[in-house]
Amino acid sequence: MLPEKEKQISMIFDTHAHYDDHAFDEDREELIASLADAGIGTVVNVAADRESVRTTLGLSEKYPFIWCALGFHPSSTGDMTEDDIRMLREALASPRAAAVGEIGLDYHWDEPDREVQRHWFARQLALAAETDMPVVIHSRDAAEDTMSMLKEHRRPSADRPAGVIHCYSYSAEQALQYVKMGYYIGIGGVLTFRNARKLKETAERLSLKDIVLETDCPYMAPTPHRGERNSSLYLPLVVRALSEIKGVPEEEVIRVTEENARRLYGIQD
């Protein structure tokens, strides 16, 4: 058995990854096998469409330290049907499923139609309430509608956090509102960007207890790897940036954000 002190060492928890993405096809197994030695202890792989629900669930079943969130990204809702809701309900019964996501609204592009996005966002929020699971929220250029819908469809259970606002990009004031509603704020590589003034202000104003770490890999790699394929191996750069902003040791950032992530997803082992 490990000594008690060694058991208590915290490891980085990546709350949002996409290791089933084709960007990892050539070295997926090697990369995932290297995470623990790099200080990455737990990963939640997040689905975005019909196919990735299957592949995300498969990854979580293969690797004990990878869990999954299952849902349809707003950009994938154009051809969504009630059969998909039934499929999600069945998949979420897996003991490896930790959340419904990523779901939400993305108004950056004209398609899918905004009304279609809102319909399936509401249906997946209802599914999260039905299964008593937290949600992983994607919101881009849709601040007002996202806030309005989350207020309207708030999960009734007070025993667990409501979810996480992934890749947060709005104001610090709105982040504080989300925290009051029971959401964590997901922060990743963007925090290291020179032009990330709003996110840095948000990080300054939030308590560390309201923040979880994420990569959104293979996207959003931190500086100095911006534009490269991202992975959990780059999260120490985000830890360092957050440590400097909050004025606390990096070990404290890792410990607190890991505790937050475990509470968010209900993962204790």
Side-chain angles (χ1 to χ4, degrees):
M1 293 181 63
L2 292 172
E4 192 65 29
K5 185 176 181 181
E6 191 172 345
K7 282 184 184 178
Q8 295 175 355
I9 294 175
S10 296
M11 297 181 77
I12 295 173
F13 192 129
D14 186 350
T15 62
H16 193 120
H18 299 283
Y19 281 115
D20 58 321
D21 190 276
H22 290 304
F24 297 106
D25 284 352
E26 293 186 5
D27 62 348
R28 182 177 293 108
E29 291 194 9
E30 289 179 3
L31 177 57
I32 291 175
S34 73
L35 296 182
D37 286 343
I40 313 300
T42 312
V43 174
V44 171
N45 208 77
V46 182
D49 56 26
R50 200 171 287 118
E51 174 63 14
S52 66
V53 168
R54 181 186 67 80
T55 53
T56 289
L57 190 55
L59 275 179
S60 71
E61 291 170 343
K62 182 175 182 179
Y63 298 99
F65 63 93
I66 296 181
W67 299 74
C68 65
L70 306 175
F72 279 55
H73 185 286
S75 298
S76 302
T77 57
D79 63 349
M80 201 172 173
T81 69
E82 282 298 319
D83 284 340
D84 293 314
I85 294 294
R86 285 188 282 272
M87 177 271 290
L88 281 175
R89 184 180 292 110
E90 291 177 5
L92 288 164
S94 166
R96 304 302 299 170
V100 176
E102 65 186 283
I103 64 175
L105 301 172
D106 194 321
Y107 292 171
H108 187 71
W109 308 111
D110 293 333
E111 296 292 337
D113 181 82
R114 293 182 179 185
E115 190 56 41
V116 170
Q117 290 189 43
R118 287 191 289 266
H119 173 78
W120 292 112
F121 185 24
R123 288 295 289 116
Q124 292 182 92
L125 287 171
L127 182 60
E130 175 189 330
T131 55
D132 194 27
M133 284 189 155
V135 288
V136 179
I137 301 298
H138 172 105
S139 180
R140 183 162 65 155
D141 298 340
E144 185 176 342
D145 281 358
T146 302
M147 176 67 77
S148 175
M149 289 190 67
L150 289 179
K151 285 181 176 178
E152 181 181 354
H153 297 276
R154 288 186 69 180
R155 198 163 58 88
S157 172
D159 296 334
R160 291 179 62 182
V164 55
I165 311 300
H166 150 65
C167 197
Y168 190 77
S169 61
Y170 300 135
S171 69
E173 288 76 17
Q174 194 164 77
L176 292 167
Q177 265 191 284
Y178 277 125
V179 167
K180 287 181 181 178
M181 292 166 61
Y183 291 91
Y184 286 101
I185 303 301
I187 291 180
V190 175
L191 188 68
T192 68
F193 295 178
R194 188 173 297 176
N195 61 348
R197 180 185 56 80
K198 278 201 306 182
L199 185 59
K200 290 174 181 177
E201 180 187 351
T202 297
E204 285 175 358
R205 294 184 59 184
L206 289 175
S207 165
L208 195 56
K209 292 185 177 181
D210 300 324
I211 295 170
V212 293
L213 302 177
E214 61 177 32
T215 55
D216 199 22
C217 65
Y219 315 105
M220 312 300 286
T223 302
H225 302 284
R226 191 171 181 179
E228 299 176 18
R229 184 189 71 173
N230 196 11
S231 80
S232 306
L233 298 176
Y234 292 157
L235 269 175
L237 295 168
V238 181
V239 169
R240 184 182 307 160
L242 193 53
S243 166
E244 292 172 356
I245 289 170
K246 303 303 292 180
V248 299
E250 292 180 19
E251 294 78 8
E252 179 77 356
V253 171
I254 293 170
R255 181 186 66 80
V256 175
T257 56
E258 181 189 23
E259 290 173 356
N260 297 344
R262 290 190 177 281
R263 182 167 182 267
L264 163 63
Y265 288 127
I267 297 170
Q268 299 307 323
D269 56 355

